[in-house]
Amino acid sequence: MASSVIHMCVAKKVNERINYPLNPLLLGSIAPDISKHVGETKTRSHFLTDGETEDIERFLKKYQSKLNNPFMMGYFIHLYTDFLWNKYFISEIIENDVITLLSGDKISADYELYKKLIYNDYTNLNIQLLDEYQLDLSLFYEDVVLPELEMDEIPIDRLSLLIDHTGVIIENTKKEKEYVFNIEQIKSFIETSTDLICSLIEEFHLEDNFNQ
C-alpha cells in the first residue's frame, strides 16, 4: 500500500479540483490504515476481496450517498489510491517475486526484505514529498475534530491514535539512499492517480454529492 504521505499528497491534488475542507479530507485519506494500530487486518477497513484487492464498487454501494462529507471522500481517495498502487505501480517493481532496485539490480522479493526496503524509501521520500506538495500538517498538531459519521469498518473514536502514529512517522523523516523508489516515480504516480480518481468521480457522477 502507498504511504500516509503519498495518500495525503493525492488527496490534496484531488482537492484542488473538488475544493473540500482540507483537514477532514486528509484525515479520511489516512483513516483506513488505523486497522494496523488497533490490532485488526486490512480486510474490513480497506474493503478487500480475497484479502488483497480493494473493492471500490462495494465501498460506493455502501457510502456513495455520504461522499458530500470530506472525511468520507478522503476515505474513498485512499482506497482507490491503494488499488492503483497495488495493481499498477508495484507490479512494475516486483515481478515473479523479484524486486528491481533503482540500481537495476534484481533481488528475490522476500516479504520481510521487501517491507524493509519500501518503508525505508517511504521515510526517505517523505521530506521531499512534503516540500514538493506543500502539505499542510496542522492536522497533526491542532485539536482533532472527529467526523460525525458511523462506519462499521473502522473505530472513528480512535482516530487520534492514527494521527499520533502518523505524526511521529512524519517527524522522523530523513534523507538517505533510496532503494526502490525515487521522487520522480512517486510524483508520476501521484499525478496519474489524481487524474484517474477525478475521472472516476466524474464517471460515477460523484460530484452530484458535493452540493447535497
Side-chain angles (χ1 to χ4, degrees), residues 23-212:
N23 272 4
L25 185 83
L26 293 180
L27 179 57
S29 77
I30 62 173
D33 287 340
I34 194 175
S35 56
K36 62 188 174 184
H37 299 300
V38 295
E40 296 184 5
T41 68
K42 294 170 51 180
T43 301
R44 281 206 310 164
S45 66
H46 285 71
F47 287 76
L48 299 184
T49 57
D50 301 324
E52 57 184 34
T53 305
E54 292 76 11
D55 191 338
I56 305 301
E57 185 176 347
R58 180 157 58 92
F59 171 83
L60 290 175
K61 184 177 181 179
K62 186 171 184 178
Y63 290 119
Q64 180 171 341
S65 65
K66 296 184 179 180
L67 288 177
N68 60 312
N69 183 289
F71 175 87
M72 194 63 78
M73 177 58 77
Y75 204 106
F76 164 71
I77 291 169
H78 179 112
L79 295 183
Y80 202 66
T81 300
D82 268 352
F83 171 78
L84 296 171
W85 179 271
N86 295 325
K87 187 172 179 64
Y88 300 108
F89 186 76
I90 290 297
S91 64
E92 296 180 0
I93 295 165
I94 302 179
E95 185 176 5
N96 298 324
D97 296 325
V98 172
I99 302 175
T100 301
L101 302 180
L102 288 173
S103 63
D105 294 337
K106 297 180 182 294
I107 60 173
S108 176
D110 171 81
Y111 182 66
E112 291 304 319
L113 176 59
Y114 163 69
K115 283 202 306 181
K116 180 179 179 180
L117 290 175
I118 66 167
Y119 279 98
N120 181 82
D121 277 4
Y122 286 161
T123 305
N124 292 338
L125 288 166
N126 278 349
I127 191 168
Q128 298 175 68
L129 291 171
L130 292 171
D131 181 61
E132 178 72 26
Y133 291 92
Q134 299 184 332
L135 280 176
D136 178 0
L137 298 179
S138 59
L139 171 65
F140 300 102
Y141 56 79
E142 292 183 349
D143 291 338
V144 179
V145 179
L146 298 179
E148 296 181 359
L149 290 168
E150 291 186 8
M151 295 187 70
D152 301 325
E153 293 76 19
I154 62 169
I156 295 288
D157 61 344
R158 300 190 67 184
L159 284 172
S160 295
L161 179 65
L162 174 66
I163 292 171
D164 291 342
H165 277 274
T166 306
V168 169
I169 291 172
I170 291 173
E171 286 179 6
N172 290 333
T173 55
K174 56 188 177 181
K175 184 66 180 75
E176 295 180 358
K177 179 180 178 182
E178 287 129 14
Y179 294 93
V180 183
F181 314 128
N182 62 38
I183 186 66
E184 294 306 319
Q185 288 173 306
I186 300 299
K187 283 170 59 179
S188 177
F189 172 77
I190 289 170
E191 300 301 322
T192 300
S193 296
T194 298
D195 289 339
L196 290 172
I197 289 169
C198 288
S199 294
L200 193 66
I201 287 172
E202 293 176 1
E203 178 185 348
F204 281 88
H205 303 290
L206 301 184
E207 70 273 17
D208 293 345
N209 297 95
F210 297 168
N211 297 317
Q212 292 181 8

